[in-house]
Amino acid sequence: MSTHLLVVDDSPAMRKMITRVIEMSGFDIASLAQASDGAEALEILRAKPVDLVLTDVNMPIMTGEELLREMAGNGMLKRIPVVVVSTDATDARMHQMMELGARGYVVKPFQPALLRNELERVMEIGQ
Amino acid sequence: MTLTETDYGLAAAEIKNTLMECSVEVLESMFYCGVLGPAEELDHPYHRYAISFSGTWEGEFAMGMTEDAAAVLAANFAGLDGDADADQMAEVLSELSNILCGAALSRLNRNGIFNLSSPYALAMLPAGGHRVALELEEGTLQATLRLGPVA
């Protein structure tokens, strides 16, 4: 089944890098949308079909933590799996994001294969 | 470098080693650039970016590098065959400062919660702080971590 992905990061360079890794990984991607913060991501989530969200944590306007809280409070959006992609590797932050409903956590720096494997794992669980 | 009351009880050597280890891992894994070893500190690094942070600790991370290092790191991260333009270079170097800062803080305090600002360009690197300079396959990169309130 083709997947609709949403990549949320305030860094254009990181959004492009993640997009490149996904495109080169051979996933069956129906669409790949991008947002630069949580608020923009919510607009996309309410307007388009999204099967999987990859999000940064530290972003202006609305952080990844706030995005997860918003999604958790919405009956439709809370079903969409979220993978956090962040430089923040503290136990406290990882625990907090997983408690809020994140299904996966990839710490930057990462090798492209690690991101690919985590996406595969989360997508398989969702099917 | 002497420790001050704003260094949150960390040893200067621990901070410096962490900065060094993080830089090597980040540069080699995501920027495909080998690190040859320690280098002399740069008097006037060409590209300078910083990130301030708050939360469990507050402070600022700053980074500067030579022109040739910036060109290679930007092209490698962006997957370009040729040179990165000015916008691409700014985007990539901003993200590099973000990754280095986050990685260093996470290793120095695994139980902390940190809120990082967006990266910003600096007119010059700040004085003081804990510094490391690395000789890369192309050029030199310098990273500085200041722990404690930033004026």
Side-chain angles (χ1 to χ4, degrees):
Chain A
M1 191 182 77
S2 295
T3 305
H4 297 275
L5 281 172
L6 172 59
V7 178
V8 192
D9 199 306
D10 58 327
S11 163
M14 184 51 70
R15 291 200 304 270
K16 288 174 198 164
M17 191 268 188
I18 290 173
T19 299
R20 205 167 61 245
V21 170
I22 291 168
E23 287 174 346
M24 291 171 70
S25 297
F27 292 124
D28 187 4
I29 302 299
S31 69
L32 210 161
Q34 296 186 19
S36 57
D37 61 70
E40 200 180 321
L42 278 177
E43 282 180 28
I44 293 172
L45 285 164
R46 287 169 179 145
K48 295 179 181 178
V50 174
D51 301 309
L52 178 65
V53 176
L54 287 87
T55 186
D56 189 12
V57 175
N58 283 292
M59 294 180 287
I61 302 175
M62 182 184 280
T63 65
E65 177 194 335
E66 291 165 327
L67 172 62
L68 272 172
R69 287 188 194 282
E70 288 286 333
M71 291 179 69
N74 180 302
M76 293 296 287
L77 299 185
K78 73 179 178 187
R79 297 178 196 161
I80 301 172
V82 176
V83 174
V84 176
V85 183
S86 174
T87 62
D88 195 333
T90 60
D91 294 337
R93 180 71 79 187
M94 292 167 88
H95 180 73
Q96 176 194 54
M97 297 302 274
M98 300 307 274
E99 282 283 299
L100 285 171
R103 305 267 182 94
Y105 203 111
V106 176
V107 175
K108 305 176 206 172
F110 58 80
Q111 298 278 357
L114 186 87
L115 177 63
R116 200 163 51 232
N117 293 343
E118 187 68 352
L119 292 181
E120 272 176 7
R121 184 186 70 78
V122 172
M123 285 196 274
E124 277 171 14
I125 292 170
Q127 282 170 4
Chain B
M1 180 74 218
T2 54
L3 282 174
T4 70
E5 72 278 7
T6 58
D7 288 314
Y8 300 109
L10 296 171
E14 182 186 2
I15 298 173
K16 214 166 173 175
N17 286 341
T18 301
L19 272 179
M20 192 78 83
E21 287 170 9
C22 289
S23 301
V24 171
E25 187 183 336
V26 169
L27 293 168
E28 292 187 346
S29 63
M30 291 190 85
F31 292 79
Y32 310 109
C33 181
V35 176
L36 304 179
E40 292 290 316
E41 285 191 15
L42 297 168
D43 289 332
H44 302 289
Y46 194 83
H47 295 276
R48 301 164 299 270
Y49 288 88
I51 286 188
S52 60
F53 51 89
S54 58
T56 305
W57 294 342
E58 59 183 313
E60 185 183 57
F61 172 85
M63 165 195 98
M65 68 189 70
T66 55
E67 183 78 52
D68 48 353
V72 167
L73 296 175
N76 287 359
F77 187 85
L80 303 173
D81 290 328
D83 294 338
D85 62 30
D87 287 343
Q88 289 170 322
M89 197 172 281
E91 286 175 3
V92 171
L93 299 183
S94 294
E95 182 57 20
L96 172 58
S97 62
N98 177 50
I99 298 174
L100 286 174
C101 179
L105 290 175
S106 296
R107 288 179 193 205
L108 288 169
N109 187 346
R110 289 207 65 89
N111 296 314
I113 284 274
F114 299 104
N115 303 306
L116 275 56
S117 75
S118 294
Y120 47 90
L122 285 176
M124 57 190 296
L125 284 184
H130 303 273
R131 297 164 177 267
V132 296
L134 298 170
E135 183 185 357
L136 312 183
E137 288 170 336
E138 299 277 347
T140 303
L141 178 143
Q142 185 170 311
T144 302
L145 184 65
R146 291 195 292 168
L147 294 170
V150 175

